[in-house]
Amino acid sequence: MAVSESEQRRGVVAVIEPGGHKLPLSMAGPGAMGKTGYWRTQRPVVNYERCTGCYLCWLYCPDNVIEMVPGKGPRGQDIPVIDYDYCKGCGVCAAVCPVKAIDMVDESKFLAKEKEEGDGNA
Amino acid sequence: MPKLLAMRGNEAVAYAAKYARVEVVAAYPITPQTIIVEKIDELISKGEMDAEMIHVESEHSALAATYGAAAGGVRAFTATSSHGLMYMYEVLWWTAGSRIPVVMAVVTRAMGPPWNIHVSHEDILATRDTGWLVSMAENNQEAFDLTLQMFRITEDPRVYLPGIVGLDGFILSHTVEPVELPDQETVDEFLPPRRQPYVMEPGEPKAMGNLVPDEYFEELRMDMQQSMENAVKVIREVGREYAKYFGRDYSELVECYKCSDADYIVAGTGSWMGDAKIAADKLREKGYRVGVMRLRWIRPFPWSDVREAAMSKKAVIVMDRSLSTGHAGPLFLELSSALEAKPSMIGVPAGIGGVDISYEDIERFTEKAIQLVEEHGRVYIPAMWYHLGKIFPTYPSSNVKLD
């Protein structure tokens, strides 16, 4: 099923045309609404010393922005890496973490720092 | 070898589903439709039909399950009537808007209250705006033929919309008539394997019916309207093909009986149009040149055929087994619009709730309408109700006084 270029309008991929028809379909894909990380007011930060690699944050993340990287933790455990381009900072990962390895940190601290470094993406 | 059997209209439809190799049927019983799904159940349990029957808890679920199965890639079928159809009304819109081909039989029946299981067209005509193709059979053979064709029409990539085959409650559903059943091999040649615009299946995740910007929504509706226009062409093609395979031609969306030399046209849909043809013959014996225009298709509306057949006539008398209460019969409204009300138009709500209408009744109200036209010249009468042999002029008022 091909999504024609002309139908990929900003925001959504909703109109797909096999056989010349417009259909009420959208295909899974990252960031149809643009980079949504800037919606965040709190940023989840993982303490890898504490993390046991249990995958619960990965499982619960409602936006599917946590990737588990096998064997990269300080004790050789699998660790979660968060994609801050799309993480909206909902805090579900921090809430479900059984060892309190994820802290929700005020986003403005990072913004100020990024501004200083001239690396802001907001 | 094709075989000629005696069967009820409901059984004819069930056989059509079997010949179409329907794989999933979801059903909830309602009179007068029940025999269709009972017969399918019987064919499945005898091993004559390879399909899954899902017994559901309501008609809303019956169409939802049928639509779900069809979206999953199989040929799916269901049947209902009256209150059942209204209960699944929401899912009618979902199925059509999703562009998923599904075929459903609607055995026409009155809407309560009071409780009434007999023929009326108010149920099927309430589907006009949903985006489904809607056809109406005149007899049991046509109920079979239209069902079989409906699979091919709805699964044509130019159409990709679901379709309803209507047959009149009891008059066709429970009446035995000879029906010719074809060879399975011939059907397999006529009906290609199922095609559909997309398949909902694991492995290729997609969301259907998600929230979209308003302008997308409108564009999707515009596409459906275009597909309905395409459907007119597809119906003609498939109807012509059907004649090649089975000897019965369905290339016309409107059946015209003695229309060419007629001054007056009796128009309508469904089984009672057979009686209208007898009435036309009787009126011709009296010297009135009457023809009959039967709408085999309601959606897409056979606009150009209707105009060609009736635009230049003196009057069109529209028999409506249904009423859009507060205005006139739905077919009267549609035909008046298509004909720009250029001929005299007389709408006759009649036979509602299964009140028996014989050819003599049709002869009587048609003659009355003709006399009004002869007396007054051009008349426009939205609802000249015919009830138990008498004429009842009703709201909205006509341009002539009726007694």
Side-chain angles (χ1 to χ4, degrees):
Chain A
M1 188 182 309
V3 181
S4 72
E5 283 290 323
S6 62
E7 294 302 335
Q8 287 195 31
R9 284 177 258 185
R10 188 179 138 42
V12 234
V13 182
V15 185
I16 297 168
E17 298 195 64
H21 290 289
K22 294 182 175 174
L23 300 169
L25 283 181
S26 64
M27 311 298 281
M33 294 296 283
K35 289 187 178 179
T36 47
Y38 75 92
W39 297 9
R40 196 169 56 234
T41 58
Q42 295 218 306
R43 178 183 295 202
V45 178
V46 186
N47 180 343
Y48 293 120
E49 294 297 335
R50 218 178 255 185
C51 172
T52 62
C54 74
Y55 279 69
L56 268 184
C57 57
W58 171 83
L59 187 64
Y60 274 88
C61 175
D63 260 329
N64 200 20
V65 296
I66 299 179
E67 192 185 350
M68 293 301 289
V69 184
K72 290 287 181 190
R75 299 185 306 284
Q77 82 273 36
D78 300 350
I79 51 159
V81 174
I82 298 172
D83 183 348
Y84 293 119
D85 279 348
Y86 298 108
C87 167
K88 302 194 193 84
C90 70
V92 166
C93 53
V96 298
C97 179
V99 294
K100 307 257 177 281
I102 302 177
D103 295 316
M104 297 304 292
V105 182
D106 191 340
E107 188 68 22
S108 61
K109 288 182 184 165
F110 297 97
L111 288 176
K113 197 176 163 214
E114 278 161 11
K115 201 174 176 187
E116 223 167 79
E117 291 167 3
D119 189 29
N121 69 349
Chain B
M1 277 286 286
K3 49 184 184 242
L4 194 63
L5 296 175
M7 66 178 73
R8 293 171 284 182
N10 279 348
E11 288 159 322
V13 169
Y15 273 110
K18 166 184 138 58
Y19 279 101
R21 298 190 183 278
V22 162
E23 289 177 88
V24 173
V25 180
Y28 190 82
I30 183 167
T31 304
Q33 165 279 136
T34 308
I35 299 166
I36 296 179
V37 289
E38 276 179 355
K39 184 69 188 175
I40 289 174
D41 239 346
E42 182 192 317
L43 291 168
I44 293 171
S45 50
K46 278 183 180 166
E48 290 176 32
M49 186 173 171
D50 187 14
E52 189 80 33
M53 168 66 82
I54 310 170
H55 292 147
V56 291
E57 78 288 359
S58 76
E59 284 89 355
H60 191 279
S61 301
L63 185 56
T66 305
Y67 156 49
V74 300
R75 201 167 271 160
F77 175 83
T78 189
T80 193
S81 285
S82 181
H83 292 262
L85 183 66
M86 294 304 133
Y87 197 16
M88 59 172 64
Y89 195 66
E90 183 201 4
V91 196
L92 288 172
W93 291 79
W94 273 97
T95 314
S98 308
R99 312 303 303 268
I100 293 294
V102 163
V103 175
M104 170 161 72
V106 171
V107 183
T108 61
R109 169 187 149 176
M111 284 297 300
W115 209 234
N116 183 315
I117 56 172
H118 292 135
V119 64
S120 244
H121 292 162
E122 55 226 36
D123 55 355
I124 193 163
L125 292 180
T127 67
R128 281 176 305 157
D129 302 344
T130 59
W132 283 60
L133 278 67
V134 182
S135 64
M136 276 291 285
E138 186 190 330
N139 52 50
N140 292 355
Q141 182 70 61
E142 193 168 309
F144 176 91
D145 293 339
L146 283 174
T147 307
L148 205 49
Q149 288 172 76
M150 194 63 99
F151 286 101
R152 180 156 160 185
I153 295 162
T154 56
E155 293 169 10
D156 189 295
R158 290 166 289 177
V159 179
Y160 282 154
L161 286 169
I164 287 170
V165 177
L167 61 154
D168 281 337
F170 292 100
I171 297 175
L172 296 185
S173 69
H174 287 60
T175 305
V176 173
E177 285 183 350
V179 174
E180 188 183 287
L181 295 183
D183 289 328
Q184 184 65 57
E185 301 76 53
T186 319
V187 175
D188 291 344
E189 279 174 40
F190 166 75
L191 187 60
R194 179 177 173 82
R195 289 177 291 181
Q196 62 188 81
Y198 57 94
V199 178
M200 300 298 274
E201 59 189 339
E204 196 198 346
K206 53 183 99 55
M208 197 291 300
N210 51 309
L211 188 71
V212 298
D214 298 348
E215 64 271 23
Y216 282 30
F217 185 94
E218 195 167 67
E219 285 166 28
L220 293 167
R221 285 291 190 273
M222 286 160 76
D223 191 280
M224 286 168 73
Q225 176 78 339
Q226 177 62 52
S227 300
M228 276 285 182
E229 193 183 327
N230 300 346
V232 174
K233 192 162 174 264
V234 173
I235 289 165
R236 289 192 207 288
E237 280 175 23
V238 171
R240 213 168 290 128
E241 281 281 296
Y242 201 80
K244 276 191 217 156
Y245 285 94
F246 308 104
R248 291 177 297 278
D249 193 316
Y250 284 87
S251 57
E252 296 299 332
L253 284 79
V254 167
E255 186 208 358
C256 287
Y257 178 78
K258 300 188 180 176
C259 288
S260 49
D261 73 331
D263 295 323
Y264 302 97
I265 298 286
V266 176
T269 195
S271 58
W272 65 350
M273 300 316 288
D275 302 295
K277 290 172 199 166
I278 300 172
D281 287 341
K282 297 279 176 195
L283 287 161
R284 275 174 181 266
E285 285 169 19
K286 291 184 184 171
Y288 303 114
R289 281 190 300 196
V290 176
V292 174
M293 178 169 75
R294 176 173 71 91
L295 303 181
R296 186 181 275 142
W297 289 85
I298 310 294
R299 286 290 180 274
F301 189 77
W303 191 80
S304 57
D305 311 60
V306 161
R307 287 166 70 89
E308 198 182 315
M311 192 63 122
S312 63
K313 303 301 183 188
K314 274 190 192 163
V316 177
I317 296 109
V318 186
M319 298 161 57
D320 251 303
R321 211 155 202 158
S322 173
L323 186 79
S324 177
T325 311
H327 199 178
L331 294 182
F332 173 84
L333 300 174
E334 301 237 328
L335 285 164
S336 293
S337 147
L339 297 170
E340 303 169 30
K342 277 188 179 156
S344 282
M345 300 290 307
I346 299 105
V348 185
I352 289 169
V355 172
D356 194 34
I357 295 289
S358 68
Y359 70 83
E360 287 158 327
D361 293 308
I362 299 171
E363 196 183 331
R364 206 169 296 148
F365 63 67
T366 302
E367 193 169 358
K368 170 74 181 170
I370 291 171
Q371 285 164 356
L372 285 166
V373 174
E374 288 186 342
E375 190 181 335
H376 297 276
R378 196 178 167 286
V379 302
Y380 188 81
I381 308 172
M384 187 180 88
W385 209 311
Y386 181 83
H387 176 68
L388 303 181
K390 291 201 185 83
I391 299 287
F392 291 85
T394 62
Y395 174 87
S397 52
S398 61
N399 70 346
V400 293
K401 181 138 173 58
L402 300 174
D403 353 281

